[in-house]
Structures are given as structure tokens and as C-alpha cells.
Amino acid sequence: MAAETTSPNDSWVQRGQKVLLGNYRPMPITLVSGEGARVVDADGTSYVDFVSGIAVTSLGHNHPQLIAAIRAQAGKILHTANVVWNEPAIGLAEKLVAKSFAERVFFCNSGAEAVEAMLKLARKVFFDRGEGRFEIISFDKSFHGRTMGALTATGQEKYRLGFEPLLPGVKTVPYGDIQALEQAMTERTAAVLLEPIQGEAGVRMPPPGFLKAVRELTQRHGCLMLLDEVQTGVGRCGTMWAYEQEGVIPDAMSVAKGIGGGVPLGAMLTTTALGAALPFGSHGSTFGGNPLACAAGCVVVDVVSDPAFLAKVKGLGEHLLSRLHQLTRAHRKIVVEARGRGLLCGLELNVDLAKLPKQALAKGLLLNTIAGKIIRFAPPLTIDQATLDQGLDLVDQLLMDLSSETRA
Ligand SMILES: *Cc1c(COP(=O)(O)O)cnc(C)c1O
């Protein structure tokens, strides 16, 4: 290869490596544009997008309504802060209240902040009641974000190492183990925090009835159930919220990732009674409820909450999972299991996947692996079946290559 010519991709990678913190290890491409469920890099190569910026670009790329709303809002007012009211924030809160269990919304800018808001809510609820409850119980392998509170609740040693001491009063128990949870609960327990499906852990499913058992247990113990729907919410699992499929209503819920369609936006949803624990001055965010982000959120919630749209996501999800089951059978030497719900699926392998994302790029597929040996499937919710199948055919080829590599 002629060493003198550097491709636009390579040149960006070199520049980025000099000035950005080394806390990420991006694939060696720079994305510059996208259309629907396809993205294009700086060299002009196009890929099927099975990542969606980690379950964020829920409406795909360059969605006409979303882009129009962002453009229109940008031409009106970008930011107001919460010293005044703004229309998009009120409009979006009304939509979220109409489409969920919640009666009150707190806006922020990310998943971690939404989780922080839930943790602060739980502590403050019991402080106000004078009950002396402050402990939070979360689960092994969970992921709740990187800020100190959310990190404390994150049950993965690798993320916590070097940042201790973390928040006191937070403990973790095995996900899915209701007995361990019951044993861990004390008269000091303020809340149990969990994901309806553990996304970053590798799309780990709860045992059937687990969320319901957590709901019953928290109710019996007089503490809160905090649900982290940052990854599972906003249609990702084929219903507006994952909790709808579990027959439970949480006390509070964190939302982010897909809700802005690609614009940074997070929210904490709760009831009026519990929300009263965070009155004037108790919590806040300068950017929270930003009109630009909320204008985007309004379009995403309108599009996704349409029953016909959700039915389509559910159908596509069933198709995706059944094809992943087929791939599991076809490549049973290297594939352990396929699992997931809606357009959030995982394929667990028993071989090293370090090279897979790059091999996928070479075939025209943007793919991401998590928790070591798991491929996560989180395409835009707007993907059509033909594009989904195209991507899955490429996964089939990749698995074939991996099988022969393993045999060699
Ligand atoms: C991604 C994620 C977070 C953190 O969101 P950020 O926007 O990165 O802070 C929290 N909880 C869950 C379940 C997530 O998947």
C-alpha cells in the first residue's frame, strides 16, 4: 500500500487521536452523514447502521419531520434556561405524561443525569418523611451512567475501579435473584434501581415475572422502584416503554438515548406526589428542557407513540429475533444464544469479537459488540425489513468467516 496517500478517514483518525481524550476506542472511520438506516463515512463508504449511535438515532438519519422541527426551532430560540417557561419543554412534558404512568417530568441532558435525578428523588422523599431510609439497591452487571452517583449504582467493577470512594449506601445484588434482593432490603432501603433489560451488560433479559416481583417487594417494604429505561424506552422494545410488557408501574423512570432522536436530551418521570420531594431550588440543570432538544423530542414522541409505528417495531423485532435464532442454529459452534425484545437484541458468541466491528465495516455494516462476546443489534426504529435483512445477511457472512477462522 502506498504510504503517502492518507484517506480522509485515516486523516481524521490521526487528528482526533492527538486532541481527544483517550477514553474511547472508536472504530477507524469518521461518519459524516446518514439517510434512514444507512450512514456514510468520510471516504464516501456507506454502511447499514445496526448501532444507531447506541440506541439514540431512533428515527434514523435525516428524518424529514425531525430535521424540520430542529431547523424551525433553531430559527426561533435556542435556549432560555429555566428562569422562564418555554413551549417545546411544556409540549414534550405533556406528551410524556399522556404516554406514560408519569404526572411530572424533570428534563436533563443525558442518561446519567436522569439516573442522578432518580437517586436524589429517592433520598429526598424519605428525608422529607423522616424515615431514615437512604440505601439504594441496584444489580450486578447493570449500567446506569458515569457520574459518581450513577456510577455507584453501576454493578460493574471495571467502570468503578480507581474512582472510589463512591457514594455510601448503595449495594448491588444479582440481577434476576428476587431472594437476594429481599435479603438485601432493610428498614433503611429507600429504593431499588434496575433496567427492564440490562442493555450494556449484553442485552440480559430478566427472568419472567422478575420486574413484577420487584414491584411487589418494594411496595411491601415501603420503598421505591426506580426503572432505568434509558436504553429500553421510547419504542425500542416494541412498546413505548419496556415496563408496559411486564405489567408493572414504577415510581420513577429515567429516559434518555432515543428520546431526542440524536439531540442530547434526558428526562426523569415520576408522580405528582413523589415529585413534590424536589421543590423549588432542590435540583436543576441549566440546559435541562432546552427548547431545541425538546422540539426534537416532541417529534420523536409523536412518531414513536403512534400504535401503528409501535406495531411495526414489534413486528420487525420478532423478525430480527427469529433470524438471530436461525443464525444461532446455523453457526452453533460459535453462537451461544440469541435474545432480546423489539429492536434491542443480542447475539452471544463463545469466541473473541475484538476484530468483528472492523470486519463488519469491510462488508458495509456498522456493528457494535458489548460485554466482550455479545453483538448488540439496535438499528433505527424506522429501518425497513429489506435493509434489516441486508444487514443480517452480512452478519451471516461474518459468522461464517468467524467459524472458519476458529476451525483453522
Ligand atoms: C446509556 C445508559 C445510561 C447512561 O446514559 P448517558 O447518556 O451515557 O449518560 C444509563 N442507563 C442505561 C440503562 C443506559 O443504557
Side-chain angles (χ1 to χ4, degrees):
M1 214 210 248
E4 297 92 82
T5 52
T6 314
S7 74
N9 267 331
D10 292 345
S11 150
W12 280 115
V13 170
Q14 282 161 20
R15 287 169 63 179
Q17 281 173 342
K18 284 198 189 113
V19 289
L20 288 166
L21 201 68
N23 59 320
Y24 304 113
R25 198 177 292 157
M27 296 178 226
I29 57 164
T30 301
L31 290 183
V32 293
S33 65
E35 189 67 43
R38 293 191 146 267
V39 286
V40 178
D41 72 12
D43 293 354
T45 309
S46 160
Y47 307 89
V48 173
D49 183 4
F50 273 6
V51 180
S52 304
I54 316 187
V56 167
T57 48
S58 42
L59 301 190
H61 305 278
N62 202 16
H63 186 280
Q65 255 173 286
L66 179 62
I67 302 310
I70 292 171
R71 286 213 169 98
Q73 187 58 45
K76 286 193 197 166
I77 192 162
L78 282 175
H79 180 74
T80 62
N82 294 293
V83 292
V84 292
W85 299 92
N86 83 70
E87 295 169 353
I90 297 166
L92 179 56
E94 283 174 349
K95 290 176 199 295
L96 289 171
V97 164
K99 303 290 179 188
S100 74
F101 74 93
E103 298 158 327
R104 299 283 165 164
V105 180
F106 166 75
F107 286 120
C108 52
N109 318 283
S110 67
E113 283 172 272
V115 170
E116 292 289 337
M118 289 202 297
L119 298 177
K120 286 182 75 175
L121 176 77
R123 287 241 166 125
K124 189 64 165 30
V125 161
F126 293 106
F127 172 85
D128 288 354
R129 290 187 199 165
E131 284 186 32
R133 289 172 181 263
F134 61 88
E135 281 175 5
I136 311 285
I137 304 177
S138 66
F139 292 89
D140 287 348
K141 299 195 170 68
S142 61
F143 185 83
H144 298 294
R146 311 291 195 134
T147 54
M148 289 304 241
L151 181 65
T152 309
T154 290
Q156 299 194 55
E157 191 53 36
K158 63 174 176 186
Y159 295 129
R160 306 155 54 110
L161 190 70
F163 299 112
E164 271 128 0
L166 296 174
L167 201 65
V170 181
K171 53 187 170 186
T172 58
V173 297
Y175 190 65
D177 188 340
I178 198 72
Q179 259 119 40
L181 177 62
E182 183 152 25
Q183 272 161 25
M185 286 174 112
T186 69
E187 69 283 354
R188 300 237 172 260
T189 306
V192 175
L193 166 65
L194 77 165
E195 297 157 87
I197 293 171
Q198 290 191 319
E200 295 302 303
V203 193
R204 286 179 83 214
M205 311 297 291
F210 180 62
L211 269 77
K212 210 158 193 176
V214 172
R215 177 68 284 184
E216 281 160 15
L217 200 55
T218 47
Q219 237 143 18
R220 192 140 36 85
H221 281 254
C223 64
L224 307 184
M225 178 180 183
L226 310 176
L227 207 55
D228 185 351
E229 289 240 22
V230 166
Q231 191 154 158
T232 52
V234 199
R236 180 51 59 187
C237 295
T239 45
M240 191 63 191
W241 314 108
Y243 73 75
E244 294 168 38
Q245 298 178 51
E246 298 284 348
V248 299
I249 303 270
D251 293 303
M253 171 168 82
S254 53
V255 179
K257 290 205 165 92
I259 195 179
V263 178
L265 175 62
M268 192 269 289
L269 278 64
T270 189
T271 61
T272 300
L274 292 170
L278 293 177
F280 173 66
S282 62
H283 193 50
S285 161
T286 300
F287 285 126
N290 173 280
L292 186 73
C294 289
C298 283
V299 174
V300 173
V301 170
D302 278 347
V303 170
V304 173
S305 66
D306 175 1
F309 184 92
L310 286 168
K312 206 167 158 209
V313 172
K314 198 155 178 279
L316 283 167
E318 282 159 9
H319 177 72
L320 169 60
L321 190 58
S322 89
R323 282 213 57 187
L324 292 181
H325 281 312
Q326 281 169 23
L327 291 176
T328 308
R329 287 191 293 274
H331 305 279
R332 73 172 87 79
K333 287 220 173 61
I334 56 165
V335 181
V336 178
E337 188 188 41
R339 52 182 182 252
R341 198 169 289 156
L343 287 175
L344 180 62
C345 284
L347 196 65
E348 182 166 350
L349 281 81
N350 58 19
V351 291
D352 182 50
L353 299 182
K355 287 193 219 133
L356 192 74
K358 251 176 112 167
Q359 291 164 336
L361 290 179
K363 290 194 189 294
L365 177 65
L366 193 67
L367 201 63
N368 123 286
T369 61
I370 43 173
K373 294 185 170 169
I374 295 141
I375 306 172
R376 173 173 42 200
F377 297 82
L381 304 180
T382 49
I383 196 169
D384 56 63
Q385 191 170 321
T387 312
L388 184 62
D389 278 328
Q390 236 172 44
L392 287 165
D393 291 345
L394 297 174
V395 173
D396 192 8
Q397 290 176 22
L398 284 163
L399 294 175
M400 231 166 328
D401 295 351
L402 258 181
S403 294
S404 50
E405 267 174 43
T406 313
R407 227 171 290 130

